[in-house]
Amino acid sequence: MPYDEQPLRPLDQTEESLVRALAHVMMALPRLVDADMVGDGGLPLSEYTPLMFLSEAPHRRMRMSELATACNLSLSGMTRVVNRLEKQGFVQRAKCQEDLRGWNAVLTDEGLARLQEAWPAHLTSIRRHVLDNLAGHDLAALTAALERVATTP
Amino acid sequence: MPYDEQPLRPLDQTEESLVRALAHVMMALPRLVDADMVGDGGLPLSEYTPLMFLSEAPHRRMRMSELATACNLSLSGMTRVVNRLEKQGFVQRAKCQEDLRGWNAVLTDEGLARLQEAWPAHLTSIRRHVLDNLAGHDLAALTAALERVATTP
DNA sequence: TCTGTGTGCTTGTCGAGTCAAGTAAATGTA
DNA sequence: TACATTTACTTGACTCGACAAGCACACAGA
């Protein structure tokens, strides 16, 4: 796409390849992992992720807005995910005592059990698709770069 | 999440951080780039990408199924994207002469102009979010790794 | 204490993409 | 040639998530 006028240097071949590979990963990887997980553990990433964050939180509970931020979801999106999880008995809502406008999503015992059941499939999938393909790379440096990518305004 | 029995080694801290950073990128980056593009060029990635592939294809045309594969979309998803592009006049459908079941999506002059108009915003966004944050990394090695990640069965 | 403004979450409505079913043309088989 | 099967694409029905509007509570300032 030759096009000039501004001091906008087009991508060179190396950069172009990287961008396309990254685009491919972003489109394909969530589906690949989801397929592995529903094939085995039966829990899609969209539900696994919030259960995971809840399991790590104090008292296994988080405010809806915290959880939405952690999962990179809009607040309304989080509302609907938690609705699904609540219907399955994996999460309960509890009014937040310090601020009666707020709600906590609380991981139930059943939810924790479900998470532990899904964990092996998740771990296996992530190892196979991601970590096994990054052998020999400097993971810490890569992580730092990815964190910048995700947060550059 | 302690859990044993299998020879399933949990992720260590470095691996865990990398996986979460990658998850964050996958969730956030498409939205960031889209926001930049509609803010400026007015063309979301879901439409930019097929126009880009068409512009590079011989005679600016591709079969629906090729285009779907290139864009990592299902065939039915591609049908709908091309419907949108056709309504805007950026693409036309032309029956494939070698196989009358098939259709080509053909980039129009208007579509090419639109792509060139959107290109600077796209390039700027990609540089800022992605490439500028990968300075000092071995892009070729990273690309190879990402390609494996996206295609590991 | 009342009243206006801001915050936390949910709901209505919508766009986007997936899968399954349907249609038309190509290809194999008798 | 006739018929069954496969392939290329579209359509219908659905799920998921986003945004904007709405509701309930919090927290001023008078």
Side-chain angles (χ1 to χ4, degrees):
Chain A
M1 242 150 306
Y3 202 75
D4 283 299
E5 253 159 73
Q6 292 124 322
L8 259 187
R9 183 170 56 79
L11 301 183
D12 65 33
Q13 184 52 54
T14 306
E15 292 169 327
E16 186 74 36
S17 300
L18 181 118
V19 168
R20 298 205 184 190
L22 180 59
H24 194 174
V25 166
M26 290 193 303
M27 291 294 289
L29 184 57
R31 275 197 289 271
L32 290 170
V33 174
D34 256 6
D36 290 348
M37 292 185 68
V38 305
D40 190 345
L43 199 57
L45 266 180
S46 59
E47 303 187 355
Y48 182 90
T49 307
L51 295 185
M52 181 192 71
F53 280 111
L54 288 175
S55 77
E56 298 168 349
H59 308 292
R60 302 194 329 209
R61 74 183 51 207
M62 289 171 76
R63 293 285 291 266
M64 292 299 291
S65 43
E66 292 178 83
L67 195 52
T69 303
C71 298
N72 281 292
L73 226 51
S74 70
L75 194 47
S76 71
M78 199 72 246
T79 291
R80 301 187 203 276
V81 172
V82 169
N83 286 347
R84 298 202 293 270
L85 292 170
E86 205 173 18
K87 267 191 201 92
Q88 297 174 276
F90 300 153
V91 156
Q92 280 188 336
R93 276 181 229 259
K95 226 180 196 1
C96 177
Q97 287 313 315
E98 302 82 49
D99 184 340
L100 294 179
R101 294 168 301 180
W103 290 87
N104 284 299
V106 187
L107 184 64
T108 63
D109 292 343
E110 200 181 344
L112 184 58
R114 191 70 195 73
L115 178 63
Q116 288 168 341
E117 185 187 337
W119 177 73
H122 179 255
L123 178 56
T124 303
S125 183
I126 290 295
R127 280 211 178 281
R128 185 157 55 96
H129 290 292
V130 180
L131 295 168
D132 290 353
N133 285 314
L134 292 174
H137 287 255
D138 179 348
L139 295 194
L142 189 50
T143 301
L146 288 173
E147 280 167 357
R148 287 195 303 272
V149 169
T151 56
T152 298
Chain B
M1 244 149 303
Y3 200 76
D4 281 298
E5 253 159 74
Q6 291 124 319
L8 258 187
R9 183 171 55 80
L11 301 183
D12 65 33
Q13 184 53 54
T14 306
E15 293 169 327
E16 185 75 35
S17 300
L18 181 118
V19 168
R20 296 203 185 192
L22 180 59
H24 195 175
V25 167
M26 290 193 303
M27 291 295 288
L29 184 55
R31 274 196 291 272
L32 290 171
V33 174
D34 257 4
D36 290 348
M37 292 185 68
V38 304
D40 191 345
L43 198 57
L45 267 180
S46 60
E47 303 188 356
Y48 183 90
T49 307
L51 294 186
M52 180 192 72
F53 279 112
L54 287 176
S55 77
E56 298 168 349
H59 307 292
R60 305 195 326 210
R61 73 183 50 207
M62 289 172 76
R63 293 286 290 266
M64 293 299 292
S65 43
E66 292 177 84
L67 195 52
T69 303
C71 298
N72 280 292
L73 227 50
S74 70
L75 191 48
S76 70
M78 200 71 246
T79 291
R80 300 184 203 278
V81 172
V82 169
N83 287 347
R84 298 201 294 272
L85 292 170
E86 206 173 20
K87 268 192 201 91
Q88 298 174 275
F90 300 153
V91 156
Q92 280 188 337
R93 278 179 166 86
K95 228 182 193 3
C96 176
Q97 288 312 316
E98 301 82 50
D99 183 341
L100 293 180
R101 294 168 301 180
W103 290 88
N104 283 299
V106 187
L107 183 64
T108 63
D109 291 342
E110 199 183 344
L112 184 58
R114 190 72 195 73
L115 178 63
Q116 287 168 341
E117 186 187 337
W119 177 74
H122 180 255
L123 178 56
T124 303
S125 183
I126 290 295
R127 281 214 178 280
R128 185 156 57 94
H129 290 293
V130 181
L131 295 169
D132 291 352
N133 285 314
L134 292 175
H137 286 255
D138 179 348
L139 295 194
L142 190 50
T143 301
L146 287 173
E147 280 168 356
R148 289 195 303 273
V149 168
T151 55
T152 298

